[in-house]
Amino acid sequence: MNVRGYAARSSDSPLAPWGVYRRDPGERDVRIQIQHCGICHSDIHFARNEWHFTTYPAVPGHEIIGKVIQVGSGVTRHRAGDLVGVGCFVNSCRSCVSCKEGQENFCEGGLRMTFGSFEADGKTPTYGGYATEIVVDEHFVLKIPKTLDPAAAAPLLCAGITTYSPLKYVGLSEGQKIAVVGLGGLGHMAVKLAASFGAEVTVLSRSSSKQGDAERLGATDFVLTRNEGALRPLAGRFDFILDTISAAHDINGPLGCLKRDGTLILVGAPADPLPVAAFRLLGRRRSILGSNTGGIRETQEMLDHCGAHGITSDIERIVPDQINEAYERTLQSDVKYRFVIDCTKF
Amino acid sequence: MNVRGYAARSSDSPLAPWGVYRRDPGERDVRIQIQHCGICHSDIHFARNEWHFTTYPAVPGHEIIGKVIQVGSGVTRHRAGDLVGVGCFVNSCRSCVSCKEGQENFCEGGLRMTFGSFEADGKTPTYGGYATEIVVDEHFVLKIPKTLDPAAAAPLLCAGITTYSPLKYVGLSEGQKIAVVGLGGLGHMAVKLAASFGAEVTVLSRSSSKQGDAERLGATDFVLTRNEGALRPLAGRFDFILDTISAAHDINGPLGCLKRDGTLILVGAPADPLPVAAFRLLGRRRSILGSNTGGIRETQEMLDHCGAHGITSDIERIVPDQINEAYERTLQSDVKYRFVIDCTKF
């Protein structure tokens, strides 16, 4: 069947209405009426073929919230009427070591991304959440806590888990000091989540206009990094730095702000290699860690944590015909802090 | 008092005989008759002022083995006649967090390097082990297991602890797979130590002439990395990579050879920043860790481990007037694998 949605027809055309193919629900499938879908920077890279693997028409969107409207006969985890979410991937091999450990995001046998992959048949493209419905294997469908605003919960499915997962991996705990570099979609979630773990959060930003927000989001400190020497007083201060910037930028300055044994976590992937001054690592046994979303079990854990702590994304709600404008504003960092599409309006 | 030794008088003059000042032993000091001193690449950087902090005359050497010939009245850990060693540093603040944790190598209050620092008075330069004697606070003097050949044990004080410490820090254990990049002074120790922990060791080298040695030292595999595509079959293979190269080199190829959650350990510090392709880290949650010698407690643990496992360095013995030639050969990697000076001949 085809459902209403939006697609890019080529790398330089705006997104426009398109009939999005969805398979008939199989035995283990959940059919979801999509209510909300966040706009992630990845959507833009994908729609514009900036990663060089897009096939068109292209339907982005991997921060999906909706209601279950039909389940296959073998589905046990979800029921019609449930509020559910779908994140960055909709299937995996289910048999590699990472899948068996519940870390499907690192699947080595063929992770099926929510958009930009192919279905199990190897030829039907996967289409993302800019649509009225989606059909997904129940294993990859998350339960959304009832206490959260569904629209504001949408970005948890990507921005939320992408920042939650490395904070858990490194064991961020109460009283530890963490700096968040860049206060955007990922960064503002990182501040909220790190603060919810009891950590002392400092925001490092090039924009003084972010100071008020940083504090409102839960940061105890804000440091404007635009000025020469701004990082110097922070030397050796942090247990962790979560760097959310996906453009080219200096990480050697921030590395110097880590304590002995501190870790700088990269969750953004700049296109060009980052120059790393090795002595910054050797001198204090520091490390750089890359991280990339999280597995299904951990995503559910993150959602439950957010439910318990009342954590959602700060969002701006839009309707479908504002998507192209929202892309431009996202590219200019002119959003606080995530656009979320009302998918009932497609 | 002055003792016989060798010093560089300027950045471009060869090392030549010089009378090296040693303080009179204080209450906590140990006076050591030096028998052997290894030649570390750092010695050359220092003698030639390549780190831009050398004061002249400069006496290198921080892989020191000798016999205790006198102890201060308050010394409890060593006695005249003991075989002892001195490594990269001879004092520290003793009061910062790192010192209190026995990780003096990360002292934040003023680590006194064996050469290239100043004594506690802030003006007397420290002079290294290219001499007949040295006077060191007992806390910084290590016990050398009697089962080891003293000359071949000298490089353990730097090359040994520099590779042992990160392997312990990351928890290298039996059956894990590790690659050692570069088979030189540090690399050959890394192979021996990693093998002694029960790990499966692969040597990655640009020189086919190292293959026989790699296996003799305890590696199970050898991969010649000079050829295009040589690393491709190793994708996702290793738990750890210990990179001992201190010249500019590519680390993105090796990063791709790490498993999920794998760590590339840097123990050499190239002068220029290393370009790091962030996606290599993000895609498999890999990390890069810098490490830098070890503390006194861990150095003693390493020496005891080497004593128990019969591990020493492969060395070429030289007399003092061969030092300058040995420097040239070290720069050409023409040494298997460490030069050790007979310090009784100064």
Side-chain angles (χ1 to χ4, degrees):
Chain A
M1 65 179 167
N2 282 3
V3 302
R4 292 191 312 282
Y6 260 48
R9 277 4 188 272
S10 73
S11 63
D12 56 2
S13 62
L15 276 76
W18 187 60
V20 181
Y21 171 78
R22 300 296 187 199
R23 67 174 179 268
D24 291 330
E27 195 185 340
R28 302 255 169 218
D29 280 340
V30 175
R31 182 177 162 203
I32 301 163
Q33 188 175 54
I34 304 177
Q35 297 174 332
H36 311 281
C37 186
I39 291 179
C40 173
H41 209 115
S42 305
D43 297 1
I44 305 174
H45 287 304
F46 172 66
R48 300 184 176 183
N49 197 23
E50 288 166 359
W51 291 328
H52 311 295
F53 64 71
T54 306
T55 59
Y56 293 93
V59 181
H62 60 199
E63 296 181 341
I64 300 168
I65 297 277
K67 271 228 153 65
V68 175
I69 52 173
Q70 187 183 347
V71 297
S73 60
V75 168
T76 58
R77 298 169 61 159
H78 306 285
R79 292 193 302 186
D82 286 356
L83 186 69
V84 296
V86 177
C88 299
F89 48 90
V90 288
N91 215 333
S92 68
C93 82
R94 320 285 286 270
S95 59
C96 72
V97 171
S98 289
C99 282
K100 287 192 168 160
E101 291 177 3
Q103 308 212 51
E104 303 89 347
N105 51 315
F106 296 116
C107 172
E108 286 158 38
L111 189 66
R112 311 283 173 186
M113 307 306 292
T114 303
F115 57 80
S117 284
F118 293 96
E119 299 280 358
D121 65 8
K123 58 186 183 188
T124 308
T126 55
Y127 297 117
Y130 295 7
T132 55
E133 294 188 17
I134 192 168
V135 177
V136 180
D137 183 293
E138 67 164 335
H139 179 76
F140 298 87
V141 175
L142 289 309
K143 296 175 192 304
I144 305 300
K146 291 191 177 68
T147 50
L148 299 179
D149 169 32
L156 299 179
L157 277 315
C158 171
I161 185 62
T162 298
T163 48
Y164 179 90
S165 182
L167 297 182
K168 293 295 279 192
Y169 185 69
V170 300
L172 179 69
S173 58
E174 193 164 346
Q176 288 190 309
K177 292 184 171 64
I178 184 169
V180 173
V181 182
L183 197 63
L186 291 173
H188 95 290
M189 286 309 311
V191 172
K192 293 187 184 199
L193 290 166
S196 77
F197 295 156
E200 253 182 59
V201 185
T202 298
V203 169
L204 308 182
S205 171
R206 295 178 65 80
S207 162
S208 57
S209 68
K210 299 283 177 78
Q211 179 155 12
D213 277 5
E215 286 161 13
R216 186 180 51 76
L217 295 165
T220 51
D221 286 293
F222 177 89
V223 176
L224 193 60
T225 57
R226 220 171 33 206
N227 306 326
E228 177 75 21
L231 295 181
R232 225 166 283 148
L234 306 179
R237 180 172 183 140
F238 303 109
D239 298 285
F240 303 106
I241 296 175
L242 183 62
D243 181 339
T244 68
I245 305 201
S246 56
H249 63 294
D250 170 60
I251 66 167
N252 296 307
L255 279 175
C257 300
L258 286 171
K259 289 183 187 173
R260 188 194 88 202
D261 301 338
T263 299
L264 181 141
I265 304 159
L266 291 175
V267 293
D272 294 320
L274 291 165
V276 173
F279 70 90
R280 289 280 195 196
L281 300 177
L282 272 68
R284 291 267 177 270
R285 197 164 54 192
R286 296 166 175 136
S287 58
I288 303 173
L289 169 73
S291 187
N292 182 1
T293 77
I296 290 297
R297 190 190 306 143
E298 193 174 51
T299 304
Q300 190 61 61
E301 175 190 306
M302 176 274 305
L303 289 164
D304 296 344
H305 175 88
C306 288
H309 290 79
I311 295 172
T312 53
S313 177
D314 287 16
I315 63 167
E316 298 190 35
R317 292 160 199 258
I318 60 168
V319 291
D321 70 11
Q322 293 173 295
I323 291 174
N324 294 299
E325 183 197 340
Y327 273 24
E328 294 311 315
R329 287 186 50 201
T330 298
L331 291 173
Q332 290 155 36
S333 303
D334 174 25
V335 51
K336 289 189 171 179
Y337 279 92
R338 216 53 157 179
F339 287 110
V340 174
I341 307 163
D342 180 346
C343 296
T344 65
K345 303 282 165 56
F346 278 116
Chain B
M1 65 181 168
N2 282 3
V3 303
R4 293 191 312 282
Y6 261 48
R9 277 1 187 273
S10 72
S11 63
D12 57 1
S13 61
L15 275 77
W18 188 60
V20 181
Y21 170 78
R22 301 297 185 198
R23 67 173 178 268
D24 291 330
E27 193 186 340
R28 302 255 169 217
D29 281 339
V30 174
R31 181 177 164 205
I32 301 163
Q33 187 174 55
I34 303 177
Q35 296 173 333
H36 311 282
C37 185
I39 292 179
C40 172
H41 209 115
S42 306
D43 295 2
I44 305 175
H45 287 305
F46 173 66
R48 299 183 177 185
N49 197 21
E50 289 166 359
W51 291 329
H52 311 295
F53 64 73
T54 306
T55 58
Y56 294 94
V59 181
H62 60 198
E63 297 180 339
I64 300 168
I65 297 277
K67 270 226 154 65
V68 175
I69 51 173
Q70 185 183 347
V71 296
S73 59
V75 168
T76 58
R77 297 168 61 156
H78 305 285
R79 292 193 301 185
D82 286 357
L83 186 68
V84 295
V86 177
C88 299
F89 46 91
V90 288
N91 216 331
S92 69
C93 83
R94 320 287 284 271
S95 60
C96 72
V97 172
S98 290
C99 282
K100 286 194 168 160
E101 291 177 3
Q103 309 212 52
E104 302 89 347
N105 51 315
F106 297 116
C107 171
E108 287 157 38
L111 188 65
R112 310 284 171 184
M113 307 305 291
T114 304
F115 57 79
S117 284
F118 293 96
E119 300 280 358
D121 65 9
K123 59 185 182 186
T124 309
T126 55
Y127 297 118
Y130 295 8
T132 54
E133 293 188 18
I134 192 168
V135 177
V136 180
D137 182 292
E138 66 164 335
H139 179 76
F140 298 88
V141 175
L142 290 309
K143 294 175 192 305
I144 305 301
K146 290 193 178 66
T147 52
L148 300 178
D149 168 31
L156 299 180
L157 278 313
C158 171
I161 185 62
T162 298
T163 49
Y164 179 92
S165 182
L167 296 181
K168 294 296 279 191
Y169 184 68
V170 300
L172 179 70
S173 58
E174 194 164 345
Q176 288 191 309
K177 292 185 171 64
I178 183 169
V180 173
V181 182
L183 196 63
L186 291 173
H188 96 290
M189 286 310 311
V191 173
K192 292 186 185 199
L193 289 166
S196 76
F197 293 156
E200 255 182 57
V201 185
T202 298
V203 168
L204 308 182
S205 170
R206 295 178 65 80
S207 163
S208 57
S209 68
K210 299 281 178 76
Q211 179 154 13
D213 277 4
E215 288 161 11
R216 184 179 54 74
L217 295 166
T220 52
D221 286 292
F222 178 90
V223 177
L224 192 61
T225 56
R226 221 170 31 205
N227 306 326
E228 177 74 22
L231 295 181
R232 225 166 282 148
L234 305 181
R237 180 173 182 139
F238 303 110
D239 298 285
F240 303 106
I241 295 176
L242 183 62
D243 182 339
T244 68
I245 305 197
S246 56
H249 64 294
D250 170 61
I251 67 167
N252 296 307
L255 279 174
C257 300
L258 285 170
K259 289 183 186 172
R260 188 195 87 204
D261 300 338
T263 300
L264 182 140
I265 305 158
L266 291 175
V267 292
D272 294 321
L274 290 166
V276 173
F279 69 90
R280 289 280 195 197
L281 299 177
L282 272 67
R284 291 266 176 273
R285 197 165 52 191
R286 295 167 176 137
S287 57
I288 303 173
L289 169 73
S291 186
N292 183 359
T293 75
I296 290 297
R297 191 191 305 143
E298 193 174 50
T299 303
Q300 189 63 59
E301 176 191 304
M302 176 274 305
L303 289 165
D304 295 344
H305 174 88
C306 288
H309 290 79
I311 296 171
T312 53
S313 176
D314 287 15
I315 63 166
E316 298 190 36
R317 292 160 199 259
I318 60 168
V319 291
D321 70 10
Q322 293 174 296
I323 290 174
N324 294 299
E325 183 197 341
Y327 272 24
E328 294 310 315
R329 288 185 50 201
T330 297
L331 291 173
Q332 291 155 36
S333 303
D334 175 24
V335 52
K336 288 188 171 179
Y337 278 90
R338 215 53 158 183
F339 288 110
V340 174
I341 307 163
D342 179 347
C343 296
T344 65
K345 302 284 164 53
F346 277 116

